[in-house]
Amino acid sequence: MIVDSHQHLWRIGQNGHEWPTSDLPAIHRDFVTADLVAEAGAAGVDATVLVQSQPSDADTDWMLDIADGSPLIQGVVGWADLAAPDAPQRLATLAKRPRLKGIRPMLQGLADDQWILSDAVRPGLEALLKLGLRFDALVFTRHLAAIDRLAKTFPDLPIIIDHCAKPPIASDDLQGWREAIARVADNANVTCKLSGLFTEMRAGQNPEDATPVADHVLSVFGAERLMWGSDWPVVLLRRPYGAWLDWTKAWLGGKTADIHTAVLGKTARRVYALP
C-alpha cells in the first residue's frame, strides 16, 4: 500500500489562486482530480493526502469538496489564518469535515521567521491541538529553530515538516541543515516528509545528490517518523511523478521491509489517521 503524503491540485485564476505564476509554464495550468488519478494510477499509488497550495479559505473549501468525491484522496491539509481572531471558530468548522487532517500556514513566505511563535497565533495552535488536527510546516532551514521551540511548547501537537525543510542541495552546503533538522528530530511529536528534494536541485543536477539528505532524515527521524510524498505537480519542474517514486524505491533497496513499508505508506496512515 503506497501513500503519497503530499500532492496539490489547483485551478488557475480560481479558488484564491496566487501560485504558480506564468513564468513556470510546466505547471501553470489546471491540475484536477482526473490528472491526479491518472498519475497515481500509473505509479501504483493507492492513496494520497491533498495539501493546500494557496493561502485562501476558498482553496481549502474547494479541496475538501473534491476529497469528498474522490476515494483516492484520503486526507486534506488545508489553510487557515492562525493569527485571525476567529481562527479557533474557523478551525472548529473545518474539523467537522472528516477528510480534514491538518493545517499548513505556509511559513516559508512570511516576513517574520518567528511568526509561528507569536502571541496572536497561540489560540489557533491550541485549537489545532484540541481538535486533534496536525500542523504541516512549510519551512526552510532558517525556520527550524522556531519549529523546535514550537514542538517543545506543544509536545502533544503532531508537527510534520514538509520537504525535509528544503535543504540547500543546489549549493552542496548541507551542514547547517543537518544540525538544525537533527535538533528538531529530537522532538517525538515531529515527523518529516521525504518530498520536494528534486525541486531544490540545480537544473541538471545528479539525482543521487538527494541520497545524503534521505539518509540523514532516516537516521535522525527513523522510518516510523518519515513518510514519502511526491509534491506533484511541483515535482514536474524537474522530473515526472514516477521518477521521484522510482528514486525513492531504489534508495530503499536493501533496507528492511519494515523501513520500506513505513516510508511508503504506514507512517503517513498513522500520522494522518487515514481511513
Side-chain angles (χ1 to χ4, degrees), residues 1 14 23 25 30 37 50 82-83 114 122 126 137 151 155 167 172 183 206 229-230 258 270 275:
M1 180 71 73
Q14 300 183 45
D23 60 326
D30 291 354
V37 169
L50 176 57
L82 294 181
Q114 304 293 312
R122 190 177 184 96
E126 290 172 344
D172 300 314
R183 285 192 292 270
N206 190 336
S230 69
D258 286 347
R270 175 178 54 80

Side-chain angles (χ1 to χ4, degrees), residues 89-269:
Q89 290 79 15
R90 169 63 174 165
L91 293 170
T93 298
L94 288 172
K96 294 176 182 177
R97 306 288 295 268
R99 296 292 176 95
L100 194 280
K101 302 298 180 180
I103 294 294
R104 186 173 85 149
M106 303 182 80
L107 302 184
Q108 71 170 16
L110 301 180
D112 181 4
D113 291 349
Q114 304 293 312
W115 177 86
I116 194 59
L117 302 174
S118 65
D119 290 342
V121 177
R122 190 177 184 96
L125 293 170
E126 290 172 344
L128 286 179
L129 186 59
K130 178 181 178 181
L131 294 164
L133 296 174
R134 295 138 200 88
F135 178 88
D136 261 55
L138 178 62
V139 296
F140 292 109
T141 303
R142 69 176 188 269
H143 299 96
L144 288 175
I147 298 302
D148 184 41
R149 285 185 57 193
L150 176 68
K152 289 177 169 58
T153 303
F154 294 93
D156 295 322
L157 176 66
I159 298 171
I160 300 147
I161 297 178
D162 294 344
H163 315 323
C164 301
K166 296 195 168 186
I169 303 174
S171 71
D172 300 314
D173 182 10
L174 295 173
Q175 189 57 37
W177 168 84
R178 283 176 174 274
E179 295 171 355
I181 203 161
R183 285 192 292 270
V184 173
D186 284 340
N187 299 285
N189 56 324
V190 181
T191 306
C192 183
K193 287 185 183 179
L194 184 64
S195 59
L197 299 187
F198 282 174
T199 315
E200 298 307 307
M201 293 181 172
R202 304 182 301 273
Q205 189 170 357
N206 190 336
E208 289 311 308
D209 288 353
T211 299
V213 172
D215 287 346
H216 186 60
V217 291
L218 178 60
S219 173
V220 299
F221 284 97
E224 71 281 358
R225 289 192 290 140
L226 187 64
M227 64 178 84
W228 177 81
S230 69
D231 196 27
W232 178 88
V234 182
V235 70
L236 300 179
L237 293 172
R238 288 288 183 262
R239 294 178 184 275
Y241 185 114
W244 173 236
L245 180 56
D246 289 345
W247 183 94
T248 305
K249 288 179 177 178
W251 170 73
L252 287 168
K255 296 178 174 60
T256 68
D258 286 347
I259 292 175
H260 190 279
T261 300
V263 172
L264 287 182
K266 188 175 180 180
T267 298
R269 285 197 171 277

Side-chain angles (χ1 to χ4, degrees), residues 51-67:
V51 180
Q52 63 82 224
S53 58
Q54 318 299 326
S56 163
D57 289 330
D59 181 56
T60 297
D61 293 338
W62 176 68
M63 290 192 303
L64 287 167
D65 288 342
I66 286 174

Side-chain angles (χ1 to χ4, degrees), residues 28-42:
H28 188 255
R29 66 171 179 85
D30 291 354
F31 286 90
V32 295
T33 308
D35 300 308
L36 173 64
V37 169
E39 291 278 13

